[in-house]
Amino acid sequence: MPAGTPIIEAEVCFWFKNDLPGPEVSRDELTAAIAGVGGASELISVRVRDAKGGIEAPLELGIADGLSHGGFILPKQRFPLKKVDFKTETGRVTINGKVEAEGGAKEMMNGAPLDAVLALANLLPKHGHHLRAGDVVIIGSMLKSPPAGASDHVTIDFSSFESLSVSFE
């Protein structure tokens, strides 16, 4: 896979309407602070490759540096948290009309996507930061993310959220 080839993820995102300064955030405080939930996509594009096209940097550096983050697509529509069932939410990536990947939110973050957001809310204050009103948190792909190439048209469908689409030139 050439450097810069986007890899398409189907993710869940959370919008925040309240600050969560901590130092310890409860699940009730977290859920009260969430303004909405939706389907999103992170576009992975590893920018450092070795001569054979493999990833040159160690995984830890990639995570810390944002080395593989190429961009993201956020939906226009937000859904109330209480209307989302992460056990049944699914995502599908279609490239040029062919389904390339399918998966479920139950596969994300050990089956508990909200736990990942709660962990983040409680970790950030330990480092002098916190989730703020207006922040968006995207928590990871619910499927094995396929690559897209030049001139590809990609659609990301969710079972409960609006579909997203992007075309590459």
Short mmCIF file of all heavy atoms in Angstrom, two decimals, residues 18-43:
data_model
loop_
_atom_site.label_atom_id
_atom_site.label_comp_id
_atom_site.label_asym_id
_atom_site.label_seq_id
_atom_site.Cartn_x
_atom_site.Cartn_y
_atom_site.Cartn_z
N ASN A 18 -20.98 20.05 27.99
CA ASN A 18 -20.50 20.56 29.28
C ASN A 18 -19.03 20.20 29.46
O ASN A 18 -18.57 19.17 28.96
CB ASN A 18 -21.26 19.91 30.45
CG ASN A 18 -22.75 20.16 30.42
OD1 ASN A 18 -23.20 21.16 29.88
ND2 ASN A 18 -23.51 19.25 30.99
N ASP A 19 -18.33 21.03 30.21
CA ASP A 19 -16.96 20.70 30.61
C ASP A 19 -17.01 19.56 31.63
O ASP A 19 -17.96 19.45 32.42
CB ASP A 19 -16.28 21.90 31.28
CG ASP A 19 -15.94 23.01 30.31
OD1 ASP A 19 -16.18 22.85 29.09
OD2 ASP A 19 -15.42 24.04 30.77
N LEU A 20 -15.97 18.74 31.62
CA LEU A 20 -15.81 17.67 32.61
C LEU A 20 -14.43 17.83 33.25
O LEU A 20 -13.49 17.11 32.91
CB LEU A 20 -15.93 16.29 31.94
CG LEU A 20 -17.32 15.91 31.47
CD1 LEU A 20 -17.27 14.64 30.64
CD2 LEU A 20 -18.24 15.72 32.65
N PRO A 21 -14.30 18.77 34.20
CA PRO A 21 -12.97 19.08 34.74
C PRO A 21 -12.38 18.01 35.66
O PRO A 21 -11.19 17.99 35.89
CB PRO A 21 -13.19 20.39 35.50
CG PRO A 21 -14.64 20.42 35.80
CD PRO A 21 -15.32 19.66 34.70
N GLY A 22 -13.21 17.11 36.18
CA GLY A 22 -12.65 16.08 37.08
C GLY A 22 -12.29 16.68 38.42
O GLY A 22 -12.80 17.72 38.79
N PRO A 23 -11.43 16.07 39.20
CA PRO A 23 -10.46 15.05 38.79
C PRO A 23 -11.06 13.67 38.57
O PRO A 23 -10.46 12.85 37.90
CB PRO A 23 -9.45 15.02 39.92
CG PRO A 23 -10.22 15.44 41.12
CD PRO A 23 -11.27 16.40 40.62
N GLU A 24 -12.23 13.39 39.13
CA GLU A 24 -12.85 12.09 38.89
C GLU A 24 -14.24 12.34 38.34
O GLU A 24 -15.08 12.98 38.97
CB GLU A 24 -12.91 11.27 40.18
CG GLU A 24 -11.52 10.86 40.65
CD GLU A 24 -11.57 9.92 41.84
OE1 GLU A 24 -12.61 9.26 42.05
OE2 GLU A 24 -10.57 9.87 42.56
N VAL A 25 -14.48 11.79 37.15
CA VAL A 25 -15.75 11.96 36.46
C VAL A 25 -16.56 10.66 36.62
O VAL A 25 -16.05 9.58 36.33
CB VAL A 25 -15.53 12.27 34.96
CG1 VAL A 25 -16.86 12.37 34.23
CG2 VAL A 25 -14.71 13.55 34.80
N SER A 26 -17.79 10.80 37.07
CA SER A 26 -18.65 9.62 37.20
C SER A 26 -19.33 9.32 35.87
O SER A 26 -19.41 10.18 34.98
CB SER A 26 -19.72 9.86 38.28
OG SER A 26 -20.68 10.79 37.81
N ARG A 27 -19.87 8.12 35.74
CA ARG A 27 -20.61 7.76 34.52
C ARG A 27 -21.82 8.68 34.35
O ARG A 27 -22.12 9.10 33.23
CB ARG A 27 -21.05 6.30 34.58
CG ARG A 27 -21.80 5.86 33.31
CD ARG A 27 -22.10 4.38 33.31
NE ARG A 27 -20.90 3.59 33.16
CZ ARG A 27 -20.33 3.31 31.99
NH1 ARG A 27 -20.83 3.79 30.89
NH2 ARG A 27 -19.24 2.57 31.94
N ASP A 28 -22.50 9.03 35.44
CA ASP A 28 -23.65 9.93 35.34
C ASP A 28 -23.23 11.31 34.86
O ASP A 28 -23.92 11.92 34.03
CB ASP A 28 -24.36 10.04 36.69
CG ASP A 28 -25.13 8.77 37.06
OD1 ASP A 28 -25.40 7.95 36.14
OD2 ASP A 28 -25.45 8.60 38.25
N GLU A 29 -22.11 11.83 35.36
CA GLU A 29 -21.61 13.13 34.90
C GLU A 29 -21.25 13.07 33.42
O GLU A 29 -21.52 14.01 32.67
CB GLU A 29 -20.38 13.54 35.72
CG GLU A 29 -20.69 13.92 37.15
CD GLU A 29 -19.43 14.09 37.98
OE1 GLU A 29 -18.47 13.31 37.85
OE2 GLU A 29 -19.43 15.04 38.80
N LEU A 30 -20.62 11.96 33.02
CA LEU A 30 -20.24 11.79 31.61
C LEU A 30 -21.47 11.80 30.72
O LEU A 30 -21.53 12.55 29.74
CB LEU A 30 -19.45 10.49 31.41
CG LEU A 30 -19.10 10.17 29.96
CD1 LEU A 30 -18.03 11.12 29.44
CD2 LEU A 30 -18.64 8.73 29.83
N THR A 31 -22.44 10.97 31.03
CA THR A 31 -23.62 10.87 30.16
C THR A 31 -24.40 12.19 30.13
O THR A 31 -24.93 12.56 29.08
CB THR A 31 -24.53 9.70 30.56
OG1 THR A 31 -24.95 9.85 31.91
CG2 THR A 31 -23.82 8.37 30.38
N ALA A 32 -24.41 12.91 31.24
CA ALA A 32 -25.09 14.22 31.26
C ALA A 32 -24.36 15.25 30.41
O ALA A 32 -24.97 16.19 29.90
CB ALA A 32 -25.22 14.72 32.70
N ALA A 33 -23.05 15.08 30.23
CA ALA A 33 -22.25 16.04 29.47
C ALA A 33 -22.27 15.78 27.96
O ALA A 33 -21.86 16.63 27.18
CB ALA A 33 -20.81 16.02 29.97
N ILE A 34 -22.75 14.62 27.54
CA ILE A 34 -22.75 14.26 26.12
C ILE A 34 -23.94 14.90 25.43
O ILE A 34 -25.09 14.64 25.77
CB ILE A 34 -22.73 12.73 25.93
CG1 ILE A 34 -21.40 12.17 26.45
CG2 ILE A 34 -22.94 12.36 24.46
CD1 ILE A 34 -21.33 10.66 26.46
N ALA A 35 -23.65 15.74 24.43
CA ALA A 35 -24.69 16.45 23.69
C ALA A 35 -25.29 15.58 22.59
O ALA A 35 -26.44 15.78 22.21
CB ALA A 35 -24.11 17.71 23.06
N GLY A 36 -24.53 14.62 22.10
CA GLY A 36 -25.03 13.77 21.04
C GLY A 36 -24.00 12.76 20.61
O GLY A 36 -22.82 12.85 20.98
N VAL A 37 -24.46 11.80 19.82
CA VAL A 37 -23.64 10.70 19.33
C VAL A 37 -23.90 10.57 17.83
O VAL A 37 -25.01 10.83 17.37
CB VAL A 37 -24.01 9.37 20.04
CG1 VAL A 37 -23.13 8.24 19.60
CG2 VAL A 37 -23.95 9.54 21.55
N GLY A 38 -22.90 10.15 17.08
CA GLY A 38 -23.10 9.94 15.65
C GLY A 38 -22.05 9.02 15.08
O GLY A 38 -21.08 8.65 15.75
N GLY A 39 -22.24 8.65 13.83
CA GLY A 39 -21.25 7.85 13.11
C GLY A 39 -20.24 8.78 12.47
O GLY A 39 -20.60 9.84 11.93
N ALA A 40 -18.98 8.42 12.53
CA ALA A 40 -17.91 9.24 11.97
C ALA A 40 -16.92 8.33 11.25
O ALA A 40 -17.02 7.11 11.31
CB ALA A 40 -17.19 10.01 13.10
N SER A 41 -15.97 8.95 10.58
CA SER A 41 -14.91 8.19 9.93
C SER A 41 -13.59 8.91 10.12
O SER A 41 -13.49 10.11 9.87
CB SER A 41 -15.17 8.02 8.44
OG SER A 41 -14.14 7.27 7.83
N GLU A 42 -12.60 8.16 10.60
CA GLU A 42 -11.24 8.68 10.59
C GLU A 42 -10.58 8.13 9.33
O GLU A 42 -10.76 6.98 8.97
CB GLU A 42 -10.45 8.23 11.82
CG GLU A 42 -9.05 8.81 11.83
CD GLU A 42 -8.24 8.45 13.06
OE1 GLU A 42 -8.68 7.58 13.84
OE2 GLU A 42 -7.16 9.03 13.22
N LEU A 43 -9.84 9.00 8.67
CA LEU A 43 -9.10 8.60 7.47
C LEU A 43 -7.65 8.40 7.89
O LEU A 43 -6.96 9.36 8.24
CB LEU A 43 -9.22 9.67 6.39
CG LEU A 43 -10.66 10.05 6.03
CD1 LEU A 43 -10.67 11.20 5.04
CD2 LEU A 43 -11.43 8.86 5.51
#
